[in-house]
Amino acid sequence: MGWRGSRGRGTVVLLVVLAGAAGCHGERAGSPHSDTRGGIARPVSVEDAARGRFAPAAPPSAGALNYLSAYVGKSAAVSGLFSTRPVDARLRALLGPNYARFIAALPDAPLVVDDGVYSLSGHTADGIAAIVLDPRADSIYAVEQDGTGRREYLERSLKPPLPAGVRALLASMPLR
């Protein structure tokens, strides 16, 4: 190959570096930039990002929640949904020390699908609880509400679209 072969590769590498640098734009403090964590774009100010206001999220895993269609119409207790991968590990990470209490309080309702978004929701002994699983954004959202208030658990930086049943359930118990 000699001098000509390595010179050609060097030129290609230089062109790639220059093309990448040409696409970079400097940002002023306070200027918004696009945050695409979780596959959902939304404006985030530089100050918020610098303060760590938004928790980092892993990029979505294409198809990670697509297997949920096999569980539609079955309750989690009967189907073993909460022991499947990756739902079990992701719910444990999302709910943290509240996992066991949340899962125990969750009503024994069937998994439903509404416009491609899966959910389990219903009334608990003390209020309401719901889990929303969105395969398109590879995101999980959980919410519970009782006499002490509403607690939301969000895996990505933007709440997935709530199915009609979950919206109606949340409206049935307004915040005080």
Side-chain angles (χ1 to χ4, degrees), residues 51-78:
R51 278 188 246 138
R53 183 169 171 223
F54 300 99
S61 303
L65 297 174
N66 287 345
Y67 74 96
L68 294 174
S69 61
Y71 294 86
V72 172
K74 302 172 188 166
S75 72
V78 171

Side-chain angles (χ1 to χ4, degrees), residues 8-143:
R9 279 193 297 264
T11 303
V12 170
V13 169
L14 179 62
L15 288 174
V16 169
V17 169
L18 289 175
C24 294
H25 303 287
E27 292 185 10
R28 292 176 284 126
S31 68
H33 67 277
S34 180
D35 176 18
T36 57
R37 290 174 290 183
I40 302 170
R42 65 179 178 72
V44 175
S45 73
V46 173
E47 289 88 8
D48 284 341
R51 278 188 246 138
R53 183 169 171 223
F54 300 99
S61 303
L65 297 174
N66 287 345
Y67 74 96
L68 294 174
S69 61
Y71 294 86
V72 172
K74 302 172 188 166
S75 72
V78 171
S79 67
L81 174 64
F82 296 135
S83 62
T84 65
R85 286 183 163 185
V87 168
D88 176 58
R90 289 173 64 179
L91 279 175
R92 286 180 187 279
L94 179 66
L95 298 169
N98 298 323
Y99 174 82
R101 180 192 51 76
F102 186 91
I103 296 300
L106 197 63
D108 193 28
L111 183 70
V112 296
V113 63
D114 182 359
D115 195 27
V117 177
Y118 299 90
S119 66
L120 251 161
S121 61
H123 289 275
T124 66
D126 299 320
I128 59 171
I131 294 177
V132 177
L133 306 111
D134 184 1
R136 292 174 290 207
D138 188 34
S139 178
I140 300 175
Y141 167 74
V143 60

